[in-house]
């Protein structure tokens, strides 16, 4: 007699080591599953893709919309992270292709600081965030995904953003499309000299 509560594993799947999802442990439930397939482009590209062409050198050569740029300064610019940890995750980059903070000029350091402060103010206004994670990962060993071009992260945080999704389900729910976030942040960015 066949047990009808589980689906039999197809013969060819067993040979290839595939598992039928219906046979996995657990009980069917009413939970929706959130998929973030856009992250696979980043994962599948691997580190070599980032070394082939620098995305932070390429972005300023594109239109603001195509490069996800929200503000262009004198020595540095601000863009959205293509693979954000949270909605509104900004990156502040010098135009010059330098790898570490100690290679930046005094003018670049000052402008990166100014743009970071303005980015925080704009994100607070646009997204009503409760706090920020700000930092630079220097080198691949320190977690830099693009380790050859200096960039500072500005990640907006909310009191409720560390719920079960990222902790248990290893999924981040992003409520806005990157293009919508870029327009909102760019429109809220103060004009030069303000």
């Amino acid at each position: 007699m066949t047990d009808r509560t589980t689906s039999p594993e197809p013969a060819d799947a067993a040979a290839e080591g595939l598992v039928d999802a219906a046979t996995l442990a657990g009980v069917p439930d009413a939970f929706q599953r959130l998929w973030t397939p856009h992250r696979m482009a980043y994962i599948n590209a691997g580190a070599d893709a980032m070394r082939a062409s620098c995305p932070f050198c390429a972005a300023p050569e594109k239109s603001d919309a195509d490069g996800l740029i929200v503000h262009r300064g004198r020595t540095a610019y601000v863009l959205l992270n293509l693979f954000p940890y949270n909605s509104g995750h900004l990156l502040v980059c010098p135009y010059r292709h330098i790898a570490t903070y100690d290679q930046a000029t005094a003018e670049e350091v000052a402008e990166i600081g100014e743009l970071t402060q303005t980015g925080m103010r704009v994100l607070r206004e646009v997204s009503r965030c409760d706090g920020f994670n700000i930092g630079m990962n220097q080198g691949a060993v320190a977690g830099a995904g693009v380790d050859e071009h200096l960039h500072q992260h500005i990640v907006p945080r909310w009191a409720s953003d560390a719920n079960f999704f990222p902790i248990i389900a290893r999924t981040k729910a992003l409520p806005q499309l990157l293009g919508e976030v870029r327009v909102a942040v760019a429109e809220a960015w103060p004009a030069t000299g303000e």
Side-chain angles (χ1 to χ4, degrees):
M1 180 170 253
T2 304
D3 180 5
R4 301 252 183 227
T5 59
T6 61
S7 300
E9 186 175 47
D12 60 332
E16 295 180 13
L18 299 176
V19 177
D20 181 6
T23 65
L24 296 174
V27 178
D29 55 40
F31 287 108
Q32 296 284 328
R33 300 309 192 254
L34 297 179
W35 298 97
T36 56
H38 66 279
R39 294 288 302 173
M40 287 310 297
Y42 177 75
I43 293 165
N44 288 337
D48 291 338
M50 295 299 181
R51 285 177 178 68
S53 66
C54 176
F56 301 136
C57 288
E61 297 173 6
K62 300 176 182 179
S63 70
D64 288 355
D66 289 341
L68 297 175
I69 295 172
V70 299
H71 177 78
R72 295 174 187 258
R74 297 172 312 281
T75 64
Y77 68 100
V78 183
L79 74 162
L80 285 174
N81 189 329
L82 182 58
F83 304 102
Y85 293 116
N86 271 343
S87 290
H89 180 168
L90 299 176
L91 301 172
V92 182
C93 302
Y95 291 109
R96 272 189 333 126
H97 186 83
I98 56 173
T100 58
Y101 195 57
D102 59 333
Q103 296 172 335
T105 65
E107 185 181 6
E108 288 167 331
V109 168
E111 188 166 30
I112 288 168
E114 291 169 17
L115 294 175
T116 298
Q117 288 181 327
T118 302
M120 292 171 65
R121 291 181 191 113
V122 169
L123 287 172
R124 199 175 287 117
E125 174 189 331
V126 169
S127 68
R128 296 179 182 84
C129 56
D130 300 316
F132 300 93
N133 289 117
I134 296 175
M136 296 181 185
N137 299 323
Q138 303 286 284
V141 71
V146 179
D147 63 341
E148 295 178 5
H149 196 128
L150 179 68
H151 57 285
Q152 175 155 274
H153 295 260
I154 307 172
V155 182
R157 300 298 305 269
W158 294 266
S160 62
D161 72 3
N163 57 29
F164 76 94
F165 281 131
I167 295 169
I168 296 172
R170 300 183 58 84
T171 301
K172 178 61 92 169
L174 299 172
Q176 283 185 296
L177 297 173
L178 286 173
E180 293 171 358
V181 175
R182 193 207 70 77
V183 168
V185 173
E187 287 178 355
W189 201 275
T192 304
E194 285 187 33

